[in-house]
Amino acid sequence: MSRVLICDDQELVRLGLRMVVDSQPDLTVVGEAADGDAALSSVAALEPDLVLMDVRMPGLDGLAATERLCARPDAPRILVVTTFDLDEYAYAALRAGANGFLVKDAPAEEILVTVRAVLRGEVMVAPSLTRRLVERFVRQGPARAPEERGRLAALTDREQEVLALVARGLPNGEIADRLFVGETTVKTHLGRVLAKLGLRDRVHAVIFAYESGLVRAGD
């Protein structure tokens, strides 16, 4: 039974998400929170496996709460509740360590698929959304820091090649076809990339690829 905490300042949203989650035999809502501060204390008290985190809330918002939770060694998985047109919030949530996104008005079936995938350890962000977010904000952001570019030197040529293709939104199967290797080999290379760069997951690898200049907006 996976334990879920719902954090949203709108009672109707919390009620709707609770009904969807509690309808499943393998999921249960262990608590609700109306702001980021309440989410932090609830996570400490209830130890949920997953937090459904709203972004815009009074007091401590969802982005700040996500960052604080992800800094904990025993951090729960965090699925940010957002809308795709709020790119700036989605990007900031990625940087804070969120594991995926959930649209508030998504159908129940989609919500459950996303929840279970995140609980399995997957990062639920469509490649097209990831690329759009990263391109928009890296293009508008400051110049790449030299230390970011320097970190690329830790990667082999093949690892950089794999990272670049991941950043362009290609799944492992397509990357394997392009490089004429097996999909398992691609997974191995990507795992080494994450380990060498100290990155959490595939999404943060994409962000690093753009910020380091390995891949540029419009490539």
Side-chain angles (χ1 to χ4, degrees):
M1 180 75 72
S2 295
R3 300 162 57 83
V4 179
L5 173 70
I6 299 173
C7 182
D8 196 293
D9 64 333
Q10 299 181 46
E11 185 176 0
L12 287 178
V13 172
R14 297 199 305 270
L15 177 60
L17 289 173
R18 175 182 280 274
M19 291 177 63
V20 172
V21 172
D22 277 343
S23 69
Q24 303 301 299
D26 58 328
L27 302 171
T28 184
V29 175
V30 295
E32 298 181 10
D35 56 50
D37 287 314
L40 295 180
S41 59
S42 294
V43 167
L46 302 173
E47 299 183 346
D49 302 298
L50 172 69
V51 178
L52 300 182
M53 181 73 76
D54 188 17
V55 173
R56 306 177 76 173
M57 296 181 291
L60 187 70
D61 65 24
L63 299 179
T66 294
E67 185 172 12
R68 293 190 190 183
L69 287 174
C70 289
R72 299 182 179 183
D74 57 346
R77 306 289 290 180
I78 298 180
L79 187 54
V80 170
V81 180
T82 185
T83 54
F84 282 175
D85 59 330
L86 294 176
D87 286 358
E88 64 272 25
Y89 294 114
Y91 180 78
L94 279 179
R95 296 303 307 273
N99 306 108
F101 299 97
L102 179 68
V103 184
K104 282 188 177 182
D105 59 355
E109 182 178 352
E110 181 179 336
I111 292 173
L112 293 171
V113 167
T114 305
V115 164
R116 290 194 173 100
V118 169
L119 283 167
R120 288 196 303 269
E122 299 178 27
V123 177
M124 292 300 290
V125 182
S128 59
L129 173 60
T130 301
R131 180 166 181 167
R132 178 163 60 89
L133 291 171
V134 175
E135 286 186 356
R136 173 178 172 181
F137 289 96
V138 171
R139 185 185 300 117
Q140 296 175 355
R144 280 77 172 178
E147 61 269 20
E148 290 297 299
R149 293 194 299 271
R151 290 172 66 193
L152 285 172
L155 306 180
T156 65
D157 290 344
R158 178 45 62 93
E159 288 166 353
Q160 290 191 32
E161 195 172 9
V162 169
L163 176 57
L165 293 173
V166 167
R168 293 186 177 101
L170 273 66
N172 290 346
E174 291 186 27
I175 295 173
D177 291 342
R178 286 204 181 194
L179 300 181
F180 303 102
V181 298
E183 190 169 345
T184 300
T185 300
V186 173
K187 292 179 181 178
T188 299
H189 284 310
L190 181 56
R192 288 173 179 165
V193 168
L194 297 179
K196 288 181 178 181
L197 298 177
L199 302 173
R200 284 170 51 93
D201 48 47
R202 191 184 192 97
V203 172
H204 293 86
V206 173
I207 293 174
F208 175 86
Y210 278 87
E211 291 189 334
S212 68
L214 178 66
V215 175
R216 298 184 183 278
D219 284 354

